[in-house]
Structures are given as C-alpha cells and as structure tokens.
Amino acid sequence: MTARRTPGPAARLRAPEATRSNALHPGAWWLWALGLAVAASRTTNPLLLGLVVGVAGYVVAARRTDAPWARSYGAFVKLGLFVVGLRVLFSLLLGSPIPGTHLLFTLPEVPLPDWAQGIRVGGRVTAEQLVFALYDGLKLATLLICVGAANALANPSRLLKSLPGALYEAGVAVVVAMTFAPNLVADVVRLRTARRLRGRPTGGVRALLQIGLPVLEGALERSVAVAASMDARGYGRTAQVPPAVRRTTNVLTLGGLLGVCAGSYGLLAAQGAGYGLPLFVAGLVAAVAGLRLGGRRTVRTRYRPDRWGVRAWLVAGSGMAVAVLVIRTGAAVPEALHPGVVPLEAPGLPVWPAVSVLVGLLPAFVAPVAPVAPGAGGVRDAHEVRDVHEVHDVHDVHDVRKESQRP
C-alpha cells in the first residue's frame, strides 16, 4: 500500500484549477482593471503607460479562456492604436496650443472667417506638439486596454448574474440584448450554408432578401419564446414596500451615484486626489445601501451564486493597491509622472511608481487556472465547466432513476 504524498509548500501556493466552487468572481477582474486604469490616468509617462499595458497583457495571456468574450482584448488593443493615430492626426491638421521651437514641417493653412478665431487648419507642425499628442493618445489608449482586459477576463453573464436585486430587471434586459446579436449571426451563417449546399447564390440583393426574411422570422419567434418564459418565471413581479423605504432608496441611490461620479472625477483629475477618494467612498457606501434597500422589491433566488473568496480579494486588492501606490509615490516625484514637453525631455522610468504597477501582476499567480478542454488544446471558462458538471449531475440522476425502475 502506497502512502499518500503530502503536497509541498510550492504546490499549496500554486493556483488551483478553476471549478464551480472556486471560480473567481467577475467583479474582482473589473476592480483590478479599474485600479490599473486609475493608475494610468495619473501619468503621461510613456514608459509607465507601457508598463501598465504590459501588466494587463501578461495577466490576460495567463488567465483568459477561449470563450468568445475572451477574444475582445486584441480588438481593444487595435482600438487603442487607432486612438493614438487619430489623436496625432488631429494634432497635425488642427494644430495644438502647445508652443514649440523645433519646427518639423509646415502644412498649407486654410483661411477661416473672423468668428473662428483661435482655430486653425494646417500651419506649423512642431516636435513638441506631436510629442504632447502622442503622450495624450497613449494615455487614452491605455485606459481602453485596461477595459479590454476586464472584458476578456470577466464572464459577462456571470457578472450580470451577480448584480443586486435592485438591478435585476436591467440585468435581464442586458442579457437578452447580448444574446440577440450572436443568435442573429448564427442564423445568417446557417441559412447561407444551407443555400450554398443547395447550389443557390449567397450574394446579391435577391439572396439578401431571401435570407433576411427567415432570419427576422426566427428572431421574432425567439423573442416571443423568451417573453413567454420570462412571464412564466414571474419576471417583473415586485413585492410590497412601504413608501418611506422607497423614497429612502431613491435618495440613497441617486446621491450615492452622484458622489461616485464626483469622486471618480476627482481621482482622475490632477488636483482632485485630496477630495476624490473620500467622496468616492462615501458615494459608494450610499449607493450600496440604496441598492440593498431596493433589492427588497424583487423577490427572487439565486442558483449557485458566485462567492467572493480570498483569491477574489487578492485580485481586486492588487488593482486597488496599484492605484493608491501610484498616486502616493507619484506625489513625491510629479515631474517623473508627467515628462516635460516644452522644452523636450527624454522620459525616465521612476522606480517606485514602476514597482507599484508591478503589483498588478498578482492575479497571474493567484487567480484559478481555467481547465484545458479535452482534445481541443484550448482553455474553457469556469462557467462552461460548471455547466458540464451540472449536465453530468443530471445524467447521474437519470441513471439512478433507471436503475430504480428495473425489476
């Protein structure tokens, strides 16, 4: 008899394989990505922005699955590059308020009427204005890439499932809207394949009309079926709540959301770090209290809700730590976070803000690893694995029933 081997410290610290019991909460990924975005909004240093993009890309490469939403990261990267190019192009054509002494070239200037004073099209193009536009575009592109990282890592259906009861109806509407487009595309592909197999053309106006009518008919039938199933499940039915509770809910929710907006503006602004964080926290607490009270109107249950475990706290906390540390360490060296443009200066990499950004790599080591799909060489999302387990459970129940019915 072989003795059972006890796992060592390295095996215990290694991230486990994701299952339905330890799957990471999708809200943790969004908090992590928002923390990186806040850090990116505090600087125009291209080296720090590139480090933020590198951290986000490494975590996405280490923990994303082969689900359809996981492929959106590349689209956000391309969108960020497009934004950088567009920002530089606008600076070339419309000029910039940044003065410059290093003239690169001069474009033909379009004369404008007197009421358009202060606006010019064409004219002098200096190195200072191009560098300023490049820094500004890189900042916006980094924010988009952080959002793309959250989209690639967080399952949208599980995120909507985790919404509080007060947002249940809006969440169901978003889920129905999200599933409409993929089903429509699948219907179009199926009909085009069927026409191709029958030897009929798939291009042209006539083929488009013959494909479009069955697609619209299928979408109408699907919407009627969804409406019937929602009505059968009691969608839209609310519980009786006293008027005082309803008014308190509205005040807390509206005031909390206004506080969150004002606090977010303070955190993103260069001079608002002092009042931004307290106002954001106060608004967040008020909004959460309002949503908790508003959830009393919705009578519903959750099937296997996602738990916010220790690893979710580590992932979300790493993103928040990046934001706080970059703000704190950047206050000591503000010139390093915003390299000079007039006169032109080569950007340097500040040590402590760079170390603070590297804290965002923690999810690549603590988040559960999605299991590899058998025979496909890919990685499946933990939500898909949960569905597979549930199907196996149902088959096991059917097998037990068959065995019990045998004589």
Side-chain angles (χ1 to χ4, degrees):
M1 183 174 180
T2 305
R4 188 173 182 179
R5 187 177 179 181
T6 304
R12 289 195 297 265
L13 292 176
R14 192 181 300 120
E17 187 177 273
T19 61
R20 63 185 180 186
S21 60
N22 66 352
L24 195 69
H25 198 286
W29 287 121
W30 275 101
L31 291 177
W32 167 79
L34 290 177
L36 292 182
V38 170
S41 67
R42 307 295 298 183
T43 179
T44 56
N45 190 322
L47 299 180
L48 276 179
L49 293 175
L51 189 60
V52 172
V53 173
V55 167
Y58 182 82
V59 175
V60 170
R63 288 298 181 266
R64 74 172 175 179
T65 66
D66 61 347
W69 59 84
R71 303 166 191 166
S72 62
Y73 183 73
F76 276 90
V77 173
K78 295 176 183 178
L79 180 62
L81 294 176
F82 175 76
V83 167
V84 173
L86 193 63
R87 180 67 179 86
V88 173
L89 180 62
F90 280 170
S91 178
L92 286 173
L93 298 179
L94 303 180
S96 174
I98 301 297
T101 57
H102 297 79
L103 180 64
L104 297 179
F105 50 88
T106 303
L107 295 175
E109 189 169 355
V110 178
L112 298 177
D114 296 336
W115 55 266
Q117 292 293 333
I119 303 175
R120 68 179 179 89
V121 178
R124 300 173 67 252
V125 177
T126 62
E128 287 83 356
Q129 79 177 62
L130 285 185
V131 171
F132 177 79
L134 180 63
Y135 288 174
D136 200 21
L138 285 175
K139 181 178 178 179
L140 182 56
T142 306
L143 296 178
L144 290 174
I145 290 175
C146 291
V147 175
N151 275 280
L153 293 169
N155 188 329
S157 61
R158 286 178 54 211
L159 181 63
L160 292 172
K161 177 184 175 182
S162 303
L163 288 177
L167 302 177
Y168 166 66
E169 297 180 358
V172 173
V174 172
V175 169
V176 173
M178 290 174 59
T179 57
F180 175 76
N183 290 331
L184 198 67
V185 173
D187 288 345
V188 172
V189 172
R190 178 174 53 83
L191 290 172
R192 285 173 59 90
T193 304
R195 289 181 62 86
R196 193 178 298 112
L197 291 175
R198 293 183 176 94
R200 298 178 182 178
T202 58
V205 178
R206 183 177 179 182
L208 181 62
L209 294 177
Q210 292 178 351
I211 292 175
L213 185 60
V215 168
L216 293 178
E217 182 181 358
L220 182 60
E221 292 178 354
R222 191 180 299 111
S223 63
V224 172
V226 170
S229 64
M230 291 169 64
D231 182 69
R233 288 170 173 83
Y235 175 75
R237 300 174 187 173
T238 58
Q240 295 293 331
V241 177
V245 176
R246 200 160 49 242
R247 286 192 293 267
T248 305
T249 299
N250 295 334
V251 171
L252 286 175
T253 304
L254 182 60
L257 293 178
L258 290 177
V260 168
C261 293
S264 301
Y265 176 79
L267 289 175
L268 297 176
Q271 294 83 16
Y275 71 87
L277 185 59
L279 192 59
F280 180 83
V281 173
L284 186 62
V285 171
V288 170
L291 292 176
R292 293 284 293 180
L293 286 176
R296 297 182 179 181
R297 297 180 63 248
T298 303
V299 182
R300 69 188 183 101
T301 58
R302 296 177 186 268
Y303 179 68
R304 289 180 178 175
D306 294 319
R307 292 183 175 86
W308 193 281
V310 177
R311 297 183 184 275
W313 281 113
L314 290 175
V315 171
S318 64
M320 296 297 103
V322 170
V324 173
L325 290 175
V326 168
I327 292 175
R328 292 299 182 185
T329 57
V333 283
E335 66 281 354
L337 295 185
H338 302 278
V341 178
V342 181
L344 282 175
E345 298 178 0
L349 184 63
V351 177
W352 290 113
V355 173
S356 303
V357 173
L358 292 179
V359 177
L361 289 173
L362 184 63
F365 304 98
V366 301
V369 182
V372 179
V379 179
R380 293 184 298 183
D381 183 73
H383 183 67
E384 298 174 1
V385 176
R386 174 185 304 178
D387 295 340
V388 171
H389 284 302
E390 291 170 3
V391 170
H392 287 320
D393 294 342
V394 172
H395 288 322
D396 292 341
V397 171
H398 287 312
D399 293 340
V400 171
R401 289 179 178 175
K402 290 180 180 179
E403 290 292 337
S404 62
Q405 293 175 358
R406 288 183 179 178

